[in-house]
Amino acid sequence: MSMKNRYLLHRSGRNQFGDPGDGPLPCYEPSPEAKARDEKLRARHIELNDVFVSKHGATWLAMFSGLSRKDAWEKLYPYGRPALSTFRVHARGFATFQEFLLFLLLSNKRSSLALLGYPKAAIEEMLSEFGECGRYYVSYGKSQRTFGSI
């Protein structure tokens, strides 16, 4: 098959044999019970995040007090990934730098707790609360960025 034919078939939504392929999937509407369960678990995740911030937020923010954004980036990402420019772009998406730091605390719970000095067993115990509800993506503060805890 020539490149031109392949291109024209591709643009028309057909494969190499001229078949149109599969149609769109049918629209799936979850049951009211499933929707209620999802909302309940999402609310539980938000509630656990608030408790997590109240428990560890002050210590986390104290670790970065007096540091420039570059110094905070070096402390958070010792291997240089993501780049400093990416870190600054992400930080601009939040109202304050402290809110961004709290977002990092919540979205990277395991590594944040390790940075705070907790042993691996204690981290696993703290994160066990997020078992089922941690799969649901939530946002923090006024940001639109979402994250899960598992």
Side-chain angles (χ1 to χ4, degrees):
M1 179 186 305
S2 73
M3 190 64 140
K4 181 179 179 182
N5 286 346
R6 184 174 295 146
Y7 176 76
L8 291 173
L9 284 171
H10 177 72
R11 285 201 48 191
S12 67
R14 297 178 182 273
N15 63 13
Q16 63 184 356
F17 306 110
D19 297 330
D22 297 331
L25 293 174
C27 185
Y28 168 73
E29 183 65 32
S31 68
E33 295 84 19
K35 286 181 182 178
R37 180 178 184 275
D38 289 347
E39 285 306 312
K40 179 181 154 198
L41 288 173
R42 195 169 282 112
R44 175 78 175 141
H45 191 183
I46 291 170
E47 175 188 327
L48 286 175
N49 280 338
D50 290 339
V51 170
F52 194 84
V53 166
S54 67
K55 191 183 293 184
H56 304 288
T59 311
W60 178 255
L61 291 176
M63 224 168 72
F64 299 101
S65 66
L67 295 179
S68 67
R69 290 181 186 211
K70 182 179 180 185
D71 294 336
W73 169 74
E74 288 172 348
K75 192 168 204 165
L76 285 166
Y77 303 107
Y79 300 109
R81 302 267 187 220
L84 177 59
S85 58
T86 305
F87 177 76
R88 288 182 171 156
V89 167
H90 289 172
R92 269 187 248 135
F94 291 83
T96 63
F97 190 63
Q98 284 76 21
E99 188 176 309
F100 175 63
L101 288 173
L102 289 174
F103 172 80
L104 290 177
L105 170 70
L106 290 173
S107 61
N108 304 314
K109 289 180 181 74
R110 198 172 307 276
S111 59
S112 299
L113 289 172
L115 198 57
L116 287 172
Y118 287 98
K120 204 174 243 188
I123 293 172
E124 292 302 322
E125 183 182 330
M126 283 185 240
L127 295 182
S128 65
E129 298 172 346
F130 290 92
E132 184 68 22
C133 68
R135 294 186 205 146
Y136 288 86
Y137 276 67
V138 296
S139 61
Y140 177 73
K142 296 177 183 170
S143 172
Q144 297 300 313
R145 292 184 64 185
T146 58
F147 61 91
S149 292
I150 300 293

